[in-house]
Amino acid sequence: MIDFWMATGLLLVVALSFLLIPLLRGHRAQREEDRTVLNVALYQERLSELQVQHEQGVLSVAQLQAARAEAARELLADTEGAEPARTSRLGKPLLVLAALLVPVLGLAGYLQLGASDRVELSREFARPPTSLADMTQRLERSVQAQPDSAENLYFLARSYMAQNRPGDAAQMFERSVALAGRQPELLGQWAQALYFASGKHFTPHVQALTDEALQADPKEVTSLGLLGIAAFETQRYQAAVDYWSRLLAALPADDASRSALEGGIARARENLAKRVANAAPAVKTKSIKIHVELAAALQGKVRPNDSVFIFARAINGPAAPLAVKRITVADLPADVELSDADAMMPQLNLSNFAQVQLVVRVSRTGQPTTGEWVGRSQPLASDSGVQQALIIDSPDN
């Protein structure tokens, strides 16, 4: 501000010069007037002396006339160029008073009506802020200096949001809307501030603001993002996906927030899938528990590493096994369980057939269709809850 006041002082000096110069000229005119009066007095005294000399016989009539003419010429020469005598001295005090009042009244008027605070703010904003708090303080002073600036109110509101002060931000957004009009982007950000200020409660006021914003601009990004957040927080995952997908479509391809938004959509879909899975009725699958052992008579006729295939085959259906497990002779005796998880094909499983036959086969070549020894059960229900005993005791013909 020092250079500002220096410039102001220079202008004040120029203004005072217009008042002081006439005053100085007035002093000069006064001196001219005083000299003229003195010259006239000397002239009259000279005339008196000449008259006395004439009466004493020193000067003749002709000499007297010549001397008077000479004195008159000298008087005219002395008073030539002098300004007319002034009849009033009122102007001098007025000029002095004006010279004193001009700077005083000018300073008082500037302090009352001037914009020194705005000048200081402009100088502050010319320097980069040292922190977010510093920027907020500057914006607060700017709003105080220009309370009717919608732009200043908007930036102060954004600064408050960055400082996690949504209540203060909501007030600034409201004032900005009152000045700039109900623009969709302002309504959306006002709604967002109110939402966080209320502890993430989607109040009717917030709903009304977002509805108004999206009615004016269906791609208003803040409103779409806020509605997605509110839907996600209340576990309305499909609505969150819908709002965020609309927002994603409205954002530029190089927008930095796209990745975070895509992550939010993925989480919402994942939660939605879990809910659907949990809500779906559990499909009851069938299984059969089997105890498998080798007949004592065959103990010396098999090798420990011979393959043992246990499978279930439909009584009225295709010859292909419905469920299969593979172990070795070394694992016998063994307890196994056949279920739909052991199906060779999804459409051929225990749950699709009411009756099955259990078969166990020992195959030295490792082929499930041919072997050396076999054991078979009687037909039984595929959902039998009783453990079945299966003995390998017959040649595989």
Side-chain angles (χ1 to χ4, degrees):
M1 291 293 288
I2 295 177
D3 52 353
F4 170 77
W5 288 114
M6 290 179 63
T8 303
L10 180 60
L11 292 175
L12 182 60
V13 169
V14 173
L16 288 176
S17 65
F18 287 99
L19 296 174
L20 294 177
I21 289 175
L23 182 61
L24 295 176
R25 288 180 176 176
H27 284 294
R28 177 183 175 186
Q30 181 63 43
R31 290 195 299 269
E32 293 289 343
E33 181 180 346
D34 294 341
R35 192 180 71 175
T36 300
V37 172
L38 178 60
N39 289 337
V40 171
L42 292 175
Y43 170 71
Q44 292 176 348
E45 183 179 352
R46 176 62 175 163
L47 291 181
S48 299
E49 291 177 355
L50 291 175
Q51 184 64 33
V52 171
Q53 290 178 1
H54 173 66
E55 292 175 354
Q56 292 177 353
V58 177
L59 296 177
S60 63
V61 175
Q63 290 175 333
L64 176 61
Q65 294 297 330
R68 285 180 175 178
E70 179 64 25
R73 284 194 300 270
E74 290 178 356
L75 176 62
L76 290 175
D78 289 339
T79 58
E80 185 177 359
E83 295 181 1
R86 300 178 185 269
T87 59
S88 174
R89 298 179 180 271
L90 184 59
K92 294 180 181 179
L94 286 178
L95 288 175
V96 174
L97 181 61
L100 294 175
L101 289 179
V102 164
V104 174
L105 294 178
L107 179 60
Y110 179 77
L111 292 177
Q112 180 67 25
L113 304 174
S116 60
D117 51 351
R118 298 183 186 181
V119 173
E120 179 63 23
L121 281 173
S122 64
R123 294 172 64 88
E124 282 192 29
F125 279 101
R127 301 189 303 269
T130 58
S131 63
L132 179 59
D134 180 32
M135 173 58 73
T136 302
Q137 291 175 357
R138 294 185 187 183
L139 289 170
E140 287 173 341
R141 290 194 294 272
S142 179
V143 168
Q144 291 176 356
Q146 297 175 296
D148 294 334
S149 172
E151 183 179 14
N152 289 346
L153 290 166
Y154 171 78
F155 284 116
L156 179 57
R158 294 291 301 271
S159 183
Y160 282 152
M161 288 296 291
Q163 287 187 306
N164 196 25
R165 297 168 59 184
D168 295 331
Q171 295 179 10
M172 296 302 106
F173 279 128
E174 182 177 7
R175 291 175 58 184
S176 182
V177 168
L179 292 170
R182 304 183 75 81
Q183 301 177 25
E185 59 272 17
L186 287 179
L187 295 176
Q189 296 191 48
W190 182 11
Q192 179 178 254
L194 288 173
Y195 174 74
F196 287 106
S198 63
K200 295 185 178 181
H201 292 298
F202 208 80
T203 63
H205 190 194
V206 174
Q207 183 69 62
L209 289 174
T210 54
D211 289 345
E212 183 179 353
L214 291 177
Q215 184 176 4
D217 181 7
K219 296 182 179 181
E220 203 288 296
V221 294
T222 304
S223 297
L224 290 174
L226 176 61
L227 287 168
I229 292 173
F232 190 91
E233 292 290 336
T234 54
Q235 299 183 3
R236 294 180 293 115
Y237 299 118
Q238 186 58 56
V241 170
D242 294 340
Y243 285 124
W244 285 341
S245 296
R246 289 172 58 185
L247 174 57
L248 192 64
L251 291 177
D254 57 348
D255 193 285
S257 61
R258 290 183 67 91
S259 59
L261 189 59
E262 290 169 347
I265 293 174
R267 288 193 298 273
R269 285 175 173 165
E270 181 181 351
N271 291 340
L272 184 62
K274 290 180 180 178
R275 173 179 291 177
V276 172
N278 293 335
V283 178
K284 185 177 180 180
T285 60
K286 296 180 179 180
S287 65
I288 302 175
K289 295 180 180 180
I290 309 169
H291 176 75
V292 182
E293 61 181 57
L294 183 67
L298 300 179
Q299 293 291 336
K301 298 180 180 180
V302 295
R303 298 175 181 176
N305 59 346
D306 288 349
S307 297
V308 178
F309 294 95
I310 306 109
F311 54 90
R313 180 182 293 145
I315 296 298
N316 297 311
L322 303 179
V324 180
K325 278 193 182 303
R326 179 177 180 174
I327 58 176
T328 64
V329 170
D331 298 322
L332 298 175
D335 292 322
V336 298
E337 183 177 3
L338 296 179
S339 68
D340 290 344
D342 301 309
M344 298 179 64
M345 291 181 289
Q347 66 273 21
L348 293 178
N349 54 47
L350 292 174
S351 297
N352 290 335
F353 296 91
Q355 285 192 317
V356 296
Q357 181 186 37
L358 301 178
V359 179
V360 56
R361 174 177 286 128
V362 177
S363 174
R364 185 163 296 174
T365 62
Q367 297 297 321
T369 56
T370 59
E372 292 75 39
W373 306 99
V374 69
R376 294 181 175 87
S377 72
Q378 296 297 319
L380 59 106
S382 59
D383 57 354
S384 174
V386 179
Q387 186 179 46
Q388 304 296 315
L390 200 55
I391 301 175
I392 306 170
D393 57 0
S394 303
D396 188 10
N397 297 324

